[in-house]
Amino acid sequence: MKVTLKIWRQKNASDKGGFKTYQLDHASPDMSFLEMLDVLNTELIKKGEEPVHFDHDCREGICGMCSLYINGRPHGPLQTTTCQLHMRSFKDGETITIEPWRAKSFPVIKDLIVDRSAFDRIQQAGGYVSVNTGGVPDANEIPIPKKIADEAFDAATCIGCGACVAACKNASAMLFVSAKVSQFALLPQGKPERKERVEKMVAQMDAEGFGSCTNTKACEAECPKGISVTNIARLNREYYAAVASSYEWQVGGGE
Amino acid sequence: MKLDSKIPEGPLAEKWTKHKFNLKLVNPANKRKYDVIVVGTGLAGASAAASLAELGYDVKAFCFQDSPRRAHSIAAQGGINAAKNYQNDGDSVYRLFYDTIKGGDYRAREGNVHRLAEVSVNIIDQCVAQGVPFAREYGGLLANRSFGGAQVSRTFYARGQTGQQLLLGAYSAMNRQIANGKVKMYNRTEMLDVVIVDGKARGIITRDLVTGKIEAHSGHAVLLCTGGYGNVFYLSTNAKGSNVTAAWRAHKKGALFGNPCYTQIHPTCIPVSGDHQSKLTLMSESLRNDGRVWVPKTAHPGLKAKDAANIPESERDYFLERRYPSFGNLVPRDVASRNAKMVCDEGRGVGATGLAVFLDFSDAIKRDGKKTIEAKYGNLFDMYQQITGDNPYEAPMMIFPAVHYTMGGLWVDYNLMTTVPGLYALGEANFSDHGANRLGASALMQGLADGYFVIPYTIGDYLAGMPYEKVSTDKPEFKEAIEQATNRLNTLVNINGNKTVDEFHRELGLAMWEYCGMSRNEAGLKTAKQKIQSIREEFWKNVKILGGANELNMELEKANRVADFMELGELMVDDALSRAESCGGHFREESATEDGEAKRNDEQFAYVSAWEYKGDNQPEVLHKEELVFENVKLTQRSYK
Ligand SMILES: Cc1cc2nc3c(=O)[nH]c(=O)nc-3n(C[C@H](O)[C@H](O)[C@H](O)COP(=O)(O)OP(=O)(O)OC[C@H]3O[C@@H](n4cnc5c(N)ncnc54)[C@H](O)[C@@H]3O)c2cc1C
Ligand code: SF4
Ligand code: FES
């Protein structure tokens, strides 16, 4: 199949960047989207043009490294990661526009590569249970109802790709943050620190400059792992409960 | 050079306990004076970085991805073993030890493997305490499954995403220490060399992958947790970035390389679809618990999955069930892979290329219902459909073996130290524990055992064993290493030839797969050696890399890695040549029984091969660590 590719090229963070159009005559429906870009890059290198830079690693839909805003949608037309997208999802002769994630908190580094380290910093702010190695109870001393465990698992499957932010007109990171907050809010292991955790993670999210959530649900629609917006509702409950109890604590001096 | 494995004396079950007592301790107040460099943030690296920081050491951690959470461990699907015996089905530390030694075809150390089995139970406790959401039963307790040839249910899992959940657990523990200021994390940073001062590892040279800046970092010890080298085959189930560079540079600086030719070929991967193929996708072998493997009894070239139903039962050959009645579809990986290759070599393979066999769930769906199968394998079935366009609920899957894991790696002693003092290797990067074949669900176990429960003890012994010294990057050795690394990159960008890095990598991979893959013979290996040498020669004259060394340049990153793969490939071939026996993951055609099964040769080959680098274009020297078996009797593996 033949495709026309309109790709964002940007030499580095300070370059203004712009679209360039390429013609690819030998794509096949069985290729993955990234393999199609590999083929393009081989052609570019042979012609003496710098290849298009994009992030990827596992190519199995699990590491969260690949990104790409394809025809106006993060990870393209299917609700999956770009690396799991195949050319059979496109028509022969189609023009495909490829851009990086667009969000103030995800600055472009080169071509289609952005800096998502803000996500790491949010996790560092509180996305953990404070236990040291060793000295923990036997695993089966913490029974967890299957339903709760499954719900926590659903939240825990976030791959940290950032599509939720790219999909959101406000560039909000609420879905990402709520996934981690939910996992730990649901599990008994996370309960002791739930208050500080949600406060710190939300504070870091704000400090990174992500926008606010106006409930458009665009994030859920594009999340390749199907993380549900019910997690955002849970985050809000956790957050207000935490803030309210901090307030009581401040006024009343605690119990 | 005499190789000392430092396996403690005494009865097997007491070795580790006694050893821990005998290890020297670093005074708690002094720990913060020590800098530890951890390269890699997969299960091994993240767990080590977190645990060492908790103890008080100052840690610097490095990964080449944009976040430590993306290390290749994230992709592990099936599960992690532990001798918890929660199922009351006869498991024990000793049985896990025994299965692992036997599964490795008696080419691993008893002492190491027993320790691994011992600490396996602590790993599960640790992960649960961190909030890792393992699968559970309705009663709220942890669920288990049997995995990859085990006859007890000892595998813990988190749907088909066990590696992801374990890694996110270790990542979260490390994040806590980053927030504490005890771990400094360097993302998008690749280690290019290790620096040795006065015979001890004292630091590393890195390249900032965004700016291209080459930098030096000093430390009192260096831990390489950099994963496996399966990508030497170009096509493998490893992530695209997985590479051997860190281990290889350490090897060239004096660390011996153990059992380089031991590669694991995984039986259940999605077959190649065309020349554009950039990697292979593994389907968890847990699928073999319910799927039945078959090909038609007679050749049906080009048979499609959707036409499989037209082949009547009587015309199907369920070859694993036929040849191995007691293990059936659950034979170990190497046996399943080799048999799939065999039926395809006979011309009975299916699919467009003839390089595939069916994995059929129709009986399981009939027996248990679609819902049950969906609950167990839903995400794997979806993944399969996404990649191939076929629906495995309706037609059988097609699978073929692919390179998946490398048992070989840097030689380490019982303390996980390489032959260079102060230089350690953890996780898939070392050679230990799995012998010639790794059992399913035991790499995750080993990575976390090394990082959470072994290195925190053994590193103290090394550090406390000598007077404290400040380390710094002022030494001339650092300057020299920076210069060398810089020159190499500049040479690469200036070659300006005609072929892309991928073209060379593909050629290398093809030669390795063809001659040094599942089955090998002397003549083929000799051909491979010549081929690799000529690919390498051409590479340094004719590779084409655009862009410079002082910017983000992914072609340069690849070239730098592929250059090391080519050197490693040659060593793998040398190792395979020297090991003229069939064992574990590899079948040496000259060493087979009458009915075509692998024949091990314990008299001549019950050793670990450890190779010493002797300089550019010099043959490497083979050292042998004889394996001593005091507890298990060596038997030929039989799964009949
Ligand atoms: C698809 C798949 C499924 C698997 N499923 C299972 C399973 O179910 N059960 C099981 O037990 N095992 C499984 N395995 C094997 C297991 O996942 C790996 O062996 C294990 O995770 C390796 O962990 P590691 O920490 O040693 O290395 P990795 O997770 O590979 O981490 C390597 C780290 O090193 C870094 N690195 C590498 N080189 C450099 C360098 N030069 N400079 C800086 N950083 C560097 C990387 O950035 C990364 O952080 C599977 C493997 C694959 C491929
Ligand atoms: S919530 Fe979904 S879209 Fe957002 S980072 Fe996680 S996986 Fe990606
Ligand atoms: S490359 Fe890992 S999720 Fe796409």
Side-chain angles (χ1 to χ4, degrees), chain A residues 156-174:
Chain A
T157 57
C158 164
I159 57 174
C161 62
C164 44
V165 175
C168 176
K169 66 178 168 42
N170 309 320
S172 163
M174 279 291 266

Side-chain angles (χ1 to χ4, degrees), chain A residues 11 28 30-31 35 38 42 45-46 48-51 53-60 62-65 80 84 86 88 109-110 113-114 116 120 123-124 127-134 136-140 142-144 146 149-150 153-154 156-160 176 183-184 187 189, chain B residues 51 54 65-70 74-75 77 84 86 124-126 128-131 133 136-138 140-142 158-159 161 164-165 168 171-172 175-176 178-179 187-188 210 237 239-241 276-280 282 383 386-389 452-453 498 503 544 546 551-555:
Chain A
K11 192 126 185 60
S28 111
D30 285 333
M31 280 177 184
E35 284 168 348
D38 291 341
T42 305
I45 296 169
K46 296 261 174 188
E49 276 183 61
E50 256 207 72
H53 278 64
F54 58 92
D55 263 331
H56 66 100
D57 198 23
C58 74
R59 297 200 177 191
E60 282 192 17
I62 192 74
C63 73
M65 185 114 175
T80 178
Q84 294 299 89
H86 283 70
R88 68 179 82 90
I109 296 175
K110 179 168 186 168
I113 296 181
V114 299
R116 286 171 288 195
D120 280 332
Q123 295 295 338
Q124 288 155 18
Y128 45 77
V129 175
S130 298
V131 289
N132 283 352
T133 302
V136 297
D138 183 88
N140 260 352
I142 317 174
I144 303 171
K146 182 166 165 41
D150 284 350
F153 181 89
D154 287 339
T157 57
C158 164
I159 57 174
F176 168 75
Q183 178 193 346
F184 288 141
L187 295 172
Q189 300 94 306
Chain B
S51 306
E54 287 162 10
Q65 290 92 346
D66 72 329
S67 160
R69 67 179 289 154
R70 308 206 200 281
I74 201 96
Q77 301 171 354
K84 281 286 198 186
Y86 281 161
I124 303 304
D125 298 343
Q126 190 62 38
V128 167
Q130 290 166 346
R136 288 177 183 268
E137 305 288 356
Y138 283 100
L141 301 183
L142 292 163
R159 266 176 236 167
Q161 283 141 270
Q164 179 196 32
Q165 295 308 317
L168 292 181
Y171 164 75
S172 74
N175 277 339
R176 178 168 159 247
I178 295 175
N187 299 342
R188 291 200 197 268
V210 176
T237 64
K240 288 295 282 178
H276 54 262
Q277 195 86 26
S278 62
K279 76 155 282 174
L280 296 169
L282 172 100
M383 184 161 103
Q386 231 159 41
I387 293 173
T388 62
Y452 283 136
F453 297 111
N498 293 310
E503 285 173 293
K544 179 165 185 161
L546 297 162
E551 58 179 324
L552 180 56
N553 187 339
M554 288 189 160
E555 286 299 309

